Amino acid sequence: MQLSMDSFVSEPGPASSETLSNNALKRERRARERQVREEEKKKVTTNKTPENQRQQVANNDTMDPSQFLSNRIKSLALLKESGVNPYPHKFDISMSITEFIDKYRSLHVGEHVENTEISLAGRILNKRSSSSKLYFYDLHGNGAKIQVMADARHSNMDENEFCKYHSGVKRGDIVGICGFPGKSQRGELSIFPRSLVVLTPCLHMLPRHTVTSNSDEAQSKKKTRNHSWTPGITRNPETNILRDQETRYRQRYLDLMLNSEVQKIFRTRAKIISYSRDFLDNLGFIEVETPAMTMTAGGAAARPFITHHNELNMKLYMRISPELYLKKLVVGGLDRVYEIGKVFRNEGMDLTHLPEFTMFEFYMAYADYNDLMGIIEKLLSGMVKEMTGSHKIKYHGNGFDSEPVEIDFTPPFRRIDLIEEIESRANLSIPKDLSSETANKFLLEACEKFDVKCLAPHTTTRLLDKLVGHFLEETCINPTFIINHPEIMSPLAKWHRSKPGLTERFELFVNKKELCNAYTELNDPQVQRQRFAEQLKDRQLGDDEAMVLDESFCSCLEYGLPPTAGLGMGIDRLAMLLTDSPNVKEVILFPAMKPQD
C-alpha cells in the first residue's frame, strides 16, 4: 500500500523518526521553492516585452555616458520596430517661449488659464520628478526659459502611460507641448501640458544643471539627485555649466545649449553689426560685396593666406582687406560704400588676434580723416549707450578674477600726435627724414635704450611701430585717436596738408588695443606708385608684411578718385569690449583650433 506524504507525516512513531521526516520535508520544500524562483527569473529574462525593455532603458539616467548613448540608440530602434517614428517631421507651435513669457508673465500666483490651448516647443535642459505623477522640466528656446509642470491630472494619458512616457524623456530632448498657461503656487510662470511629445531625442548625456532655489521642484519634499560639473572660468557659475574651454570652442553647439550667457554674447555681436549697418544706411551708404580671393594681397600690411584656383590654374590670395576694391567702387561713382565681411591674415594667435576675423570698412567721398573721427565717435558712443544704457562700461581685460577697468566712451575722444607724443614721453628728437639711414639707426638705438624688443628685420616702419606700442598704446584705456602717422608707415594714406613727412591718418585705441584704422585716402597715382616702391625695399629686407605693387589699383586711380576718407574697424574686438570677453574666441562662433589627436 502506497502512503501519501501527509499520511506518512501524521503517522505516529518514535520521536527521532518524526524529526528526521520533518527535516527531509523542509529540505525538499526549500529545493522546490528555489527551483520555482529560478524558473520565474529565467522566464522574465528571456521573455521581456519591448515595453519592459524601454522602461529599463529609460529609467537609467546615471550610467556611464557611453552606455547612456548605447541605451538610447537601442530604445530608438525599439520604437522604430514598433512602427513609431521618433523623429516627427513637424510640430505646429502657436507662439515662441519669449512670446509666452511676455503674454502671461502678469498672471497672479496660482492662477491657471485652463480654457486656453497653447503649443510650445523647445529643448529640455533640466528634469526632476516629485512623484511618478508629477514631473518638472526647464524648457529652453530662443534664449529664454520657462517651467513645465507635467501633472498626470491634466494629461490626456492615463496614469500608467503618463509615468512610462515621462520616465523616458531625457535632458537634451527637443519636445513639443500642448497645454495651458499658469503660475504655480510659488509664482513661477509655467505651462501645464495636456500632451507632451519628444520631437528629437538627444542621444548623449548632458552635464547636470543645478536646481535653482526659487523653482517649484526645489521646494519639493522629494529630493532629486544632481551631479556636479567641474568648475572653471565662467562669468556666472550659477548659469554656466559647460566650462571646459576646449569643449566649449570645439563643440559650440553644446556651449550655446548649456551656457545661457554665451547666447547673449552672440546676440550682442549681431546687434553690433546691425547697429553699424543701420548707422551707415542712414548716412546714405550702400552695402557691397567684394572678392575674398584676389590676385594681389593688398590693402594692409599683413602676411596673406595662399590658395590655388584649379580652373584658372593660378595662385590666389585670401584677402587681407577689402580696401582697394572699395576705393575702386568710389572711382566708379559709388560715393559712399561699406562692407562687413571676413578677412584673413596668416599671422599669430593670442587673446586678441585670430588669422580669420570680421572687418567693417567704409569709404566716403568728399570727406577727410577729421570727418571720420567725428563719425566714429558718434557711432561708438551711440552704440555703447544704446546697448548698455551708459557711455561707461566695465571690462575684465585680465580675466574675471582681476579688477575690471572702466572705459568711458563719452565723446569727444582724446587725440594725440604720434611723433610729438613719442618725443615728449621718451625725451627724443626723431630725425625728420624717416626714410634715411640716419633715422633708422636712431630708432634702433632708441629701442635698445628703452629695452623695446623688435625682431628682425629692423625696418624703420617696424621700429616706429614698436615705439608706439611701448610709449603710446599703453596710455590708451579710454578711446584715444593716435593721429598723423609718418608716410613711411602709411603707404595708402594721403600726405598731411601742413606737416611734411606725415599723413592724415589715425588709429583708434581702446583698452590699449587698436580698434580702428582710418585716413584721408591717397588719390595721386604717381605718389601711390612711389609709395609701393618704397614698400618693396622693406620686402627685400625680409619684411613679408610690407605691401606689394597693385598695378590694377594704380591704373584705377588714374581715372580719378575724388577726395575720399576710409575707415576699417574690427568687429571681433568691439564685441569683446561690449560683452566683457577677455578672449577673442569667446566672440567667434567657431574659432580656429588645432586638430585633436
Side-chain angles (χ1 to χ4, degrees):
M1 179 178 177
Q2 187 175 3
L3 298 177
S4 68
M5 181 64 70
D6 289 337
S7 61
F8 176 78
V9 171
S10 60
E11 185 177 340
S16 58
S17 298
E18 183 178 352
T19 302
L20 288 174
S21 299
N22 285 335
N23 288 340
L25 181 61
K26 290 178 181 178
R27 284 196 298 271
E28 185 177 345
R29 186 169 61 245
R30 286 197 294 268
R32 269 202 312 267
E33 290 174 352
R34 281 197 302 270
Q35 184 178 1
V36 169
R37 286 198 301 268
E38 289 174 0
E39 289 176 352
E40 289 179 348
K41 183 178 180 181
K42 184 177 180 181
K43 184 177 179 180
V44 170
T45 302
T46 57
N47 296 312
K48 279 187 177 180
T49 64
E51 183 60 42
N52 288 334
Q53 292 180 32
R54 282 197 295 270
Q55 190 67 24
Q56 183 186 34
V57 170
N59 285 335
N60 203 347
D61 196 30
T62 59
M63 62 181 62
D64 177 81
S66 61
Q67 186 62 42
F68 181 92
L69 171 63
S70 175
N71 280 12
R72 287 233 81 182
I73 292 174
K74 291 177 182 177
S75 69
L76 293 181
L78 290 170
L79 286 175
K80 293 175 182 178
E81 289 174 7
S82 64
V84 176
N85 177 18
Y87 295 91
H89 287 67
K90 181 178 172 58
F91 182 82
D92 291 316
I93 62 172
S94 59
M95 62 177 61
S96 68
I97 293 176
T98 52
E99 291 171 336
F100 179 90
I101 294 171
D102 291 339
K103 185 170 184 179
Y104 295 107
R105 61 166 32 120
S106 60
L107 292 177
H108 299 297
V109 174
E111 181 181 359
H112 293 177
V113 190
E114 296 192 31
N115 59 349
T116 298
E117 183 75 10
I118 291 172
S119 58
L120 299 176
R123 187 184 295 274
I124 292 171
L125 290 186
N126 212 355
K127 174 187 176 182
R128 290 80 53 194
S129 61
S130 181
S131 69
S132 62
K133 302 177 183 179
L134 179 60
Y135 288 84
F136 296 94
Y137 300 100
D138 288 344
L139 188 70
H140 290 246
N142 203 30
K145 181 200 81 170
I146 62 165
Q147 178 174 262
V148 179
M149 290 186 68
D151 192 329
R153 294 174 298 175
H154 303 305
S155 176
N156 294 334
M157 301 178 178
D158 61 44
E159 290 185 2
N160 289 333
E161 187 182 7
F162 176 91
C163 180
K164 291 177 182 178
Y165 193 86
H166 282 271
S167 65
V169 178
K170 301 298 182 183
R171 296 177 54 255
D173 287 353
I174 297 172
V175 301
I177 297 172
C178 293
F180 59 88
K183 276 193 176 178
S184 67
Q185 293 299 326
R186 301 190 180 276
E188 185 160 357
L189 181 61
S190 307
I191 184 168
F192 297 81
R194 297 196 187 279
S195 66
L196 183 150
V197 59
V198 175
L199 304 175
T200 307
C202 178
L203 304 186
H204 292 273
M205 183 183 292
L206 300 181
R208 282 282 187 183
H209 276 266
T210 303
V211 178
T212 53
S213 59
N214 63 341
S215 59
D216 290 283
E217 70 279 359
Q219 309 298 331
S220 173
K221 292 181 180 179
K222 285 195 173 184
K223 297 181 179 180
T224 58
R225 295 179 64 186
N226 291 290
H227 301 273
S228 62
W229 198 250
T230 305
I233 300 175
T234 57
R235 231 154 306 185
N236 187 348
E238 293 181 358
T239 58
N240 291 269
I241 195 161
L242 180 61
R243 298 169 188 173
D244 177 71
Q245 284 187 316
E246 281 285 311
T247 303
R248 291 182 54 236
Y249 299 152
R250 292 184 188 279
Q251 296 177 273
R252 182 66 86 180
Y253 50 89
L254 278 182
D255 192 26
L256 293 166
M257 183 192 306
L258 296 172
N259 296 336
S260 59
E261 290 193 0
V262 175
Q263 284 200 19
K264 295 177 183 177
I265 287 175
F266 290 102
R267 292 179 189 279
T268 299
R269 179 189 171 102
K271 290 178 182 178
I272 289 171
I273 294 174
S274 296
Y275 187 97
S276 302
R277 180 176 280 121
D278 292 342
F279 181 89
L280 289 188
D281 287 347
N282 290 331
L283 290 178
F285 284 78
I286 64 169
E287 185 174 8
V288 297
E289 292 180 299
T290 61
M293 295 187 297
T294 65
M295 289 187 289
T296 303
R303 184 185 299 116
F305 285 91
I306 302 174
T307 185
H308 184 80
H309 195 300
N310 288 336
E311 185 65 26
L312 298 178
N313 191 25
M314 61 185 297
K315 180 173 68 175
L316 291 177
Y317 300 93
M318 302 301 292
R319 69 178 177 188
I320 57 178
S321 170
E323 175 172 346
L324 302 186
Y325 280 108
L326 292 174
K327 286 193 279 194
K328 289 178 180 180
L329 296 179
V330 178
V331 171
L334 300 180
D335 288 346
R336 298 186 178 191
V337 295
Y338 72 92
E339 182 171 10
I340 302 173
K342 293 286 189 179
V343 295
F344 310 88
R345 300 181 181 181
N346 199 359
E347 299 169 344
M349 298 171 62
D350 57 32
L351 293 179
T352 62
H353 292 85
L354 283 180
E356 177 185 359
F357 60 98
T358 302
M359 182 72 80
F360 167 64
E361 286 205 27
F362 68 87
Y363 290 82
M364 184 178 185
Y366 312 109
D368 65 11
Y369 79 141
N370 293 301
D371 297 312
L372 295 195
M373 280 189 266
I375 288 174
I376 202 65
E377 280 179 345
K378 185 176 180 181
L379 170 63
L380 293 179
S381 62
M383 179 188 297
V384 172
K385 177 77 173 186
E386 178 168 309
M387 293 188 181
T388 68
S390 170
H391 283 132
K392 297 180 181 180
I393 64 172
K394 299 284 188 180
Y395 183 64
H396 294 80
N398 296 319
F400 297 112
D401 293 333
S402 63
E403 286 295 320
V405 175
E406 182 178 83
I407 302 174
D408 188 356
F409 282 86
T410 304
F413 301 162
R414 183 169 69 116
R415 303 184 185 190
I416 57 176
D417 188 284
L418 187 148
I419 294 294
E420 292 178 1
E421 194 72 12
I422 289 178
E423 290 181 330
S424 173
R425 290 182 175 275
N427 193 25
L428 297 174
S429 181
I430 299 174
K432 301 299 181 183
D433 184 6
L434 289 171
S435 62
S436 66
E437 289 293 331
T438 302
N440 182 267
K441 182 179 178 181
F442 180 91
L443 294 171
L444 181 57
E445 292 174 351
C447 286
E448 292 173 350
K449 176 182 177 181
F450 294 104
D451 196 27
V452 176
K453 305 298 182 183
C454 180
L455 300 177
H458 295 142
T459 63
T460 301
T461 298
R462 292 168 63 88
L463 293 170
L464 266 175
D465 186 63
K466 295 299 181 181
L467 290 171
V468 170
H470 182 77
F471 288 107
L472 305 189
E473 294 176 10
E474 290 297 311
T475 70
C476 302
I477 304 300
N478 291 331
T480 302
F481 293 117
I482 298 178
I483 65 174
N484 301 337
H485 296 57
E487 290 181 3
I488 199 170
M489 299 178 71
S490 314
L492 297 172
K494 197 163 189 176
W495 62 88
H496 199 285
R497 67 196 76 180
S498 62
K499 296 182 179 181
L502 304 183
T503 61
E504 294 190 347
R505 175 187 173 189
F506 70 79
E507 291 177 294
L508 177 64
F509 281 80
V510 182
N511 195 44
K512 307 178 185 181
K513 299 296 181 181
E514 179 191 348
L515 186 62
C516 300
N517 184 30
Y519 33 81
T520 305
E521 301 296 335
L522 177 58
N523 59 348
D524 184 325
Q526 279 72 40
V527 175
Q528 184 64 81
R529 281 194 176 89
Q530 180 184 346
R531 295 272 187 86
F532 280 145
E534 292 169 354
Q535 288 284 298
L536 180 60
K537 296 177 183 177
D538 286 349
R539 290 189 70 85
Q540 292 171 343
L541 291 173
D543 186 358
D544 56 2
E545 294 184 359
M547 292 188 193
V548 298
L549 171 64
D550 188 330
E551 182 56 40
S552 69
F553 175 66
C554 293
S555 297
C556 177
L557 291 183
E558 291 176 346
Y559 286 89
L561 172 68
T564 300
L567 177 143
M569 178 172 66
I571 292 295
D572 304 327
R573 286 188 180 174
L574 181 56
M576 289 175 65
L577 291 170
L578 294 187
T579 61
D580 193 14
S581 300
N583 188 335
V584 67
K585 290 182 180 180
E586 294 287 347
V587 299
I588 294 176
L589 281 168
F590 299 101
M593 305 282 288
K594 286 185 178 181
Q596 290 178 306
D597 294 334

mmCIF file of all heavy atoms in Angstrom, residues 398 405 414 416 421-422 425 452 465-478 480 482 509-514:
data_model
loop_
_atom_site.group_PDB
_atom_site.id
_atom_site.type_symbol
_atom_site.label_atom_id
_atom_site.label_comp_id
_atom_site.label_asym_id
_atom_site.label_seq_id
_atom_site.Cartn_x
_atom_site.Cartn_y
_atom_site.Cartn_z
ATOM 1 N N ASN A 398 41.912 91.353 -17.993
ATOM 2 C CA ASN A 398 42.904 90.411 -17.480
ATOM 3 C C ASN A 398 42.264 89.194 -16.823
ATOM 4 O O ASN A 398 42.886 88.536 -15.996
ATOM 5 C CB ASN A 398 43.830 91.120 -16.483
ATOM 6 C CG ASN A 398 44.648 92.218 -17.128
ATOM 7 O OD1 ASN A 398 45.147 92.040 -18.240
ATOM 8 N ND2 ASN A 398 44.770 93.352 -16.461
ATOM 9 N N VAL A 405 38.322 97.169 -15.565
ATOM 10 C CA VAL A 405 38.721 98.501 -15.995
ATOM 11 C C VAL A 405 37.470 99.239 -16.459
ATOM 12 O O VAL A 405 36.633 98.676 -17.166
ATOM 13 C CB VAL A 405 39.744 98.429 -17.142
ATOM 14 C CG1 VAL A 405 40.061 99.815 -17.684
ATOM 15 C CG2 VAL A 405 41.016 97.740 -16.669
ATOM 16 N N ARG A 414 39.917 111.458 -26.828
ATOM 17 C CA ARG A 414 41.229 112.094 -26.750
ATOM 18 C C ARG A 414 41.998 111.910 -28.064
ATOM 19 O O ARG A 414 41.884 110.870 -28.719
ATOM 20 C CB ARG A 414 42.024 111.478 -25.593
ATOM 21 C CG ARG A 414 43.404 112.102 -25.361
ATOM 22 C CD ARG A 414 43.990 111.623 -24.041
ATOM 23 N NE ARG A 414 44.356 110.216 -24.061
ATOM 24 C CZ ARG A 414 45.604 109.768 -23.929
ATOM 25 N NH1 ARG A 414 46.603 110.617 -23.762
ATOM 26 N NH2 ARG A 414 45.849 108.477 -23.944
ATOM 27 N N ILE A 416 46.024 112.279 -29.738
ATOM 28 C CA ILE A 416 47.444 112.532 -29.503
ATOM 29 C C ILE A 416 48.202 112.368 -30.813
ATOM 30 O O ILE A 416 47.900 111.483 -31.616
ATOM 31 C CB ILE A 416 48.032 111.595 -28.420
ATOM 32 C CG1 ILE A 416 47.828 110.122 -28.783
ATOM 33 C CG2 ILE A 416 47.410 111.884 -27.067
ATOM 34 C CD1 ILE A 416 48.470 109.160 -27.790
ATOM 35 N N GLU A 421 54.128 112.921 -29.442
ATOM 36 C CA GLU A 421 53.919 112.258 -28.150
ATOM 37 C C GLU A 421 55.082 111.320 -27.806
ATOM 38 O O GLU A 421 55.490 111.223 -26.652
ATOM 39 C CB GLU A 421 52.600 111.480 -28.169
ATOM 40 C CG GLU A 421 52.107 111.042 -26.809
ATOM 41 C CD GLU A 421 51.584 112.188 -25.945
ATOM 42 O OE1 GLU A 421 51.387 113.296 -26.494
ATOM 43 O OE2 GLU A 421 51.365 111.970 -24.728
ATOM 44 N N ILE A 422 55.617 110.622 -28.826
ATOM 45 C CA ILE A 422 56.785 109.774 -28.555
ATOM 46 C C ILE A 422 57.969 110.628 -28.107
ATOM 47 O O ILE A 422 58.669 110.297 -27.131
ATOM 48 C CB ILE A 422 57.165 108.955 -29.804
ATOM 49 C CG1 ILE A 422 56.117 107.870 -30.070
ATOM 50 C CG2 ILE A 422 58.540 108.298 -29.617
ATOM 51 C CD1 ILE A 422 56.397 107.045 -31.313
ATOM 52 N N ARG A 425 57.340 111.825 -24.473
ATOM 53 C CA ARG A 425 57.410 110.808 -23.419
ATOM 54 C C ARG A 425 58.801 110.185 -23.305
ATOM 55 O O ARG A 425 59.225 109.807 -22.209
ATOM 56 C CB ARG A 425 56.372 109.712 -23.686
ATOM 57 C CG ARG A 425 54.935 110.180 -23.473
ATOM 58 C CD ARG A 425 53.935 109.042 -23.692
ATOM 59 N NE ARG A 425 52.582 109.492 -23.360
ATOM 60 C CZ ARG A 425 52.066 109.478 -22.144
ATOM 61 N NH1 ARG A 425 52.794 109.035 -21.125
ATOM 62 N NH2 ARG A 425 50.845 109.907 -21.920
ATOM 63 N N VAL A 452 63.013 97.992 -25.824
ATOM 64 C CA VAL A 452 61.855 97.695 -26.652
ATOM 65 C C VAL A 452 62.258 96.617 -27.646
ATOM 66 O O VAL A 452 63.133 96.837 -28.493
ATOM 67 C CB VAL A 452 61.361 98.955 -27.389
ATOM 68 C CG1 VAL A 452 60.210 98.606 -28.322
ATOM 69 C CG2 VAL A 452 60.928 100.023 -26.381
ATOM 70 N N ASP A 465 56.752 101.338 -35.077
ATOM 71 C CA ASP A 465 55.559 100.666 -34.570
ATOM 72 C C ASP A 465 55.789 100.141 -33.156
ATOM 73 O O ASP A 465 54.900 100.234 -32.294
ATOM 74 C CB ASP A 465 55.183 99.529 -35.511
ATOM 75 C CG ASP A 465 53.874 98.873 -35.130
ATOM 76 O OD1 ASP A 465 52.830 99.550 -35.171
ATOM 77 O OD2 ASP A 465 53.892 97.682 -34.772
ATOM 78 N N LYS A 466 56.977 99.600 -32.886
ATOM 79 C CA LYS A 466 57.280 99.093 -31.543
ATOM 80 C C LYS A 466 57.354 100.226 -30.527
ATOM 81 O O LYS A 466 56.925 100.080 -29.374
ATOM 82 C CB LYS A 466 58.587 98.313 -31.562
ATOM 83 C CG LYS A 466 58.542 97.037 -32.392
ATOM 84 C CD LYS A 466 57.504 96.060 -31.842
ATOM 85 C CE LYS A 466 57.464 94.782 -32.654
ATOM 86 N NZ LYS A 466 56.431 93.837 -32.130
ATOM 87 N N LEU A 467 57.889 101.371 -30.927
ATOM 88 C CA LEU A 467 57.949 102.513 -30.013
ATOM 89 C C LEU A 467 56.553 103.051 -29.712
ATOM 90 O O LEU A 467 56.265 103.461 -28.581
ATOM 91 C CB LEU A 467 58.832 103.608 -30.606
ATOM 92 C CG LEU A 467 60.336 103.294 -30.654
ATOM 93 C CD1 LEU A 467 61.085 104.356 -31.456
ATOM 94 C CD2 LEU A 467 60.904 103.197 -29.235
ATOM 95 N N VAL A 468 55.696 103.052 -30.722
ATOM 96 C CA VAL A 468 54.312 103.480 -30.492
ATOM 97 C C VAL A 468 53.644 102.549 -29.477
ATOM 98 O O VAL A 468 52.960 102.998 -28.544
ATOM 99 C CB VAL A 468 53.518 103.481 -31.816
ATOM 100 C CG1 VAL A 468 52.019 103.677 -31.546
ATOM 101 C CG2 VAL A 468 54.016 104.577 -32.734
ATOM 102 N N GLY A 469 53.859 101.247 -29.637
ATOM 103 C CA GLY A 469 53.268 100.302 -28.704
ATOM 104 C C GLY A 469 53.777 100.486 -27.286
ATOM 105 O O GLY A 469 53.026 100.358 -26.316
ATOM 106 N N HIS A 470 55.065 100.813 -27.153
ATOM 107 C CA HIS A 470 55.668 100.943 -25.832
ATOM 108 C C HIS A 470 55.255 102.234 -25.127
ATOM 109 O O HIS A 470 54.927 102.217 -23.928
ATOM 110 C CB HIS A 470 57.194 100.897 -25.972
ATOM 111 C CG HIS A 470 57.922 100.979 -24.670
ATOM 112 N ND1 HIS A 470 58.034 99.908 -23.807
ATOM 113 C CD2 HIS A 470 58.577 102.026 -24.066
ATOM 114 C CE1 HIS A 470 58.732 100.272 -22.737
ATOM 115 N NE2 HIS A 470 59.075 101.549 -22.873
ATOM 116 N N PHE A 471 55.257 103.348 -25.855
ATOM 117 C CA PHE A 471 55.046 104.647 -25.209
ATOM 118 C C PHE A 471 53.605 105.163 -25.291
ATOM 119 O O PHE A 471 53.149 105.866 -24.397
ATOM 120 C CB PHE A 471 55.983 105.697 -25.816
ATOM 121 C CG PHE A 471 57.417 105.535 -25.420
ATOM 122 C CD1 PHE A 471 58.356 105.058 -26.314
ATOM 123 C CD2 PHE A 471 57.830 105.857 -24.132
ATOM 124 C CE1 PHE A 471 59.688 104.901 -25.944
ATOM 125 C CE2 PHE A 471 59.164 105.708 -23.747
ATOM 126 C CZ PHE A 471 60.092 105.225 -24.649
ATOM 127 N N LEU A 472 52.882 104.821 -26.359
ATOM 128 C CA LEU A 472 51.568 105.449 -26.564
ATOM 129 C C LEU A 472 50.400 104.507 -26.283
ATOM 130 O O LEU A 472 49.457 104.877 -25.579
ATOM 131 C CB LEU A 472 51.467 105.977 -28.003
ATOM 132 C CG LEU A 472 52.559 106.939 -28.469
ATOM 133 C CD1 LEU A 472 52.181 107.528 -29.828
ATOM 134 C CD2 LEU A 472 52.792 108.039 -27.457
ATOM 135 N N GLU A 473 50.446 103.316 -26.840
ATOM 136 C CA GLU A 473 49.287 102.434 -26.719
ATOM 137 C C GLU A 473 48.961 102.091 -25.273
ATOM 138 O O GLU A 473 47.789 101.920 -24.916
ATOM 139 C CB GLU A 473 49.532 101.150 -27.527
ATOM 140 C CG GLU A 473 49.624 101.390 -29.019
ATOM 141 C CD GLU A 473 49.971 100.119 -29.798
ATOM 142 O OE1 GLU A 473 49.939 99.024 -29.178
ATOM 143 O OE2 GLU A 473 50.287 100.213 -30.988
ATOM 144 N N GLU A 474 49.974 102.004 -24.432
ATOM 145 C CA GLU A 474 49.754 101.658 -23.026
ATOM 146 C C GLU A 474 48.966 102.723 -22.279
ATOM 147 O O GLU A 474 48.433 102.464 -21.202
ATOM 148 C CB GLU A 474 51.102 101.436 -22.339
ATOM 149 C CG GLU A 474 51.823 100.177 -22.781
ATOM 150 C CD GLU A 474 51.040 98.915 -22.441
ATOM 151 O OE1 GLU A 474 50.599 98.791 -21.280
ATOM 152 O OE2 GLU A 474 50.853 98.067 -23.333
ATOM 153 N N THR A 475 48.884 103.930 -22.832
ATOM 154 C CA THR A 475 48.150 105.022 -22.167
ATOM 155 C C THR A 475 46.703 105.111 -22.638
ATOM 156 O O THR A 475 45.951 105.930 -22.127
ATOM 157 C CB THR A 475 48.844 106.375 -22.431
ATOM 158 O OG1 THR A 475 48.663 106.742 -23.813
ATOM 159 C CG2 THR A 475 50.326 106.300 -22.124
ATOM 160 N N CYS A 476 46.327 104.282 -23.606
ATOM 161 C CA CYS A 476 45.019 104.434 -24.251
ATOM 162 C C CYS A 476 44.003 103.464 -23.653
ATOM 163 O O CYS A 476 43.709 102.411 -24.234
ATOM 164 C CB CYS A 476 45.155 104.214 -25.753
ATOM 165 S SG CYS A 476 46.320 105.315 -26.581
ATOM 166 N N ILE A 477 43.474 103.797 -22.483
ATOM 167 C CA ILE A 477 42.405 102.999 -21.869
ATOM 168 C C ILE A 477 41.063 103.461 -22.422
ATOM 169 O O ILE A 477 40.334 102.695 -23.047
ATOM 170 C CB ILE A 477 42.436 103.103 -20.339
ATOM 171 C CG1 ILE A 477 43.805 102.683 -19.808
ATOM 172 C CG2 ILE A 477 41.327 102.239 -19.743
ATOM 173 C CD1 ILE A 477 44.192 101.269 -20.150
ATOM 174 N N ASN A 478 40.722 104.709 -22.204
ATOM 175 C CA ASN A 478 39.549 105.274 -22.848
ATOM 176 C C ASN A 478 39.837 105.461 -24.338
ATOM 177 O O ASN A 478 41.003 105.546 -24.741
ATOM 178 C CB ASN A 478 39.190 106.622 -22.218
ATOM 179 C CG ASN A 478 38.685 106.476 -20.794
ATOM 180 O OD1 ASN A 478 38.100 105.453 -20.428
ATOM 181 N ND2 ASN A 478 38.913 107.488 -19.977
ATOM 182 N N THR A 480 41.029 106.588 -27.685
ATOM 183 C CA THR A 480 42.042 107.606 -27.979
ATOM 184 C C THR A 480 42.460 107.503 -29.436
ATOM 185 O O THR A 480 42.781 106.418 -29.925
ATOM 186 C CB THR A 480 43.278 107.408 -27.083
ATOM 187 O OG1 THR A 480 42.879 107.460 -25.708
ATOM 188 C CG2 THR A 480 44.308 108.501 -27.344
ATOM 189 N N ILE A 482 45.243 108.096 -32.036
ATOM 190 C CA ILE A 482 46.652 108.393 -32.319
ATOM 191 C C ILE A 482 46.695 108.838 -33.780
ATOM 192 O O ILE A 482 46.327 108.087 -34.682
ATOM 193 C CB ILE A 482 47.544 107.153 -32.100
ATOM 194 C CG1 ILE A 482 47.480 106.706 -30.636
ATOM 195 C CG2 ILE A 482 48.985 107.454 -32.488
ATOM 196 C CD1 ILE A 482 48.296 105.453 -30.325
ATOM 197 N N PHE A 509 42.478 103.589 -30.450
ATOM 198 C CA PHE A 509 42.824 102.555 -29.472
ATOM 199 C C PHE A 509 41.858 102.611 -28.292
ATOM 200 O O PHE A 509 41.493 103.697 -27.832
ATOM 201 C CB PHE A 509 44.255 102.734 -28.969
ATOM 202 C CG PHE A 509 45.301 102.215 -29.916
ATOM 203 C CD1 PHE A 509 45.696 102.974 -31.017
ATOM 204 C CD2 PHE A 509 45.871 100.964 -29.735
ATOM 205 C CE1 PHE A 509 46.640 102.496 -31.898
ATOM 206 C CE2 PHE A 509 46.821 100.473 -30.619
ATOM 207 C CZ PHE A 509 47.212 101.241 -31.705
ATOM 208 N N VAL A 510 41.457 101.427 -27.828
ATOM 209 C CA VAL A 510 40.607 101.295 -26.640
ATOM 210 C C VAL A 510 41.183 100.177 -25.787
ATOM 211 O O VAL A 510 41.461 99.076 -26.284
ATOM 212 C CB VAL A 510 39.148 100.971 -27.012
ATOM 213 C CG1 VAL A 510 38.289 100.886 -25.751
ATOM 214 C CG2 VAL A 510 38.585 102.004 -27.978
ATOM 215 N N ASN A 511 41.386 100.454 -24.523
ATOM 216 C CA ASN A 511 41.980 99.488 -23.605
ATOM 217 C C ASN A 511 43.290 98.918 -24.160
ATOM 218 O O ASN A 511 43.533 97.720 -24.142
ATOM 219 C CB ASN A 511 41.002 98.354 -23.291
ATOM 220 C CG ASN A 511 41.436 97.539 -22.087
ATOM 221 O OD1 ASN A 511 41.842 98.092 -21.068
ATOM 222 N ND2 ASN A 511 41.362 96.218 -22.190
ATOM 223 N N LYS A 512 44.106 99.805 -24.707
ATOM 224 C CA LYS A 512 45.461 99.511 -25.211
ATOM 225 C C LYS A 512 45.482 98.711 -26.501
ATOM 226 O O LYS A 512 46.552 98.302 -26.951
ATOM 227 C CB LYS A 512 46.292 98.759 -24.150
ATOM 228 C CG LYS A 512 46.354 99.418 -22.791
ATOM 229 C CD LYS A 512 47.148 98.564 -21.820
ATOM 230 C CE LYS A 512 47.120 99.144 -20.420
ATOM 231 N NZ LYS A 512 47.912 98.323 -19.466
ATOM 232 N N LYS A 513 44.324 98.485 -27.129
ATOM 233 C CA LYS A 513 44.268 97.687 -28.349
ATOM 234 C C LYS A 513 43.687 98.509 -29.496
ATOM 235 O O LYS A 513 42.750 99.290 -29.308
ATOM 236 C CB LYS A 513 43.416 96.429 -28.149
ATOM 237 C CG LYS A 513 43.937 95.485 -27.076
ATOM 238 C CD LYS A 513 45.289 94.917 -27.433
ATOM 239 C CE LYS A 513 45.788 93.963 -26.358
ATOM 240 N NZ LYS A 513 47.130 93.427 -26.683
ATOM 241 N N GLU A 514 44.241 98.293 -30.692
ATOM 242 C CA GLU A 514 43.732 99.004 -31.865
ATOM 243 C C GLU A 514 42.336 98.511 -32.202
ATOM 244 O O GLU A 514 42.079 97.313 -32.285
ATOM 245 C CB GLU A 514 44.660 98.770 -33.062
ATOM 246 C CG GLU A 514 44.181 99.449 -34.331
ATOM 247 C CD GLU A 514 44.946 99.001 -35.570
ATOM 248 O OE1 GLU A 514 46.006 98.329 -35.412
ATOM 249 O OE2 GLU A 514 44.469 99.282 -36.679
#
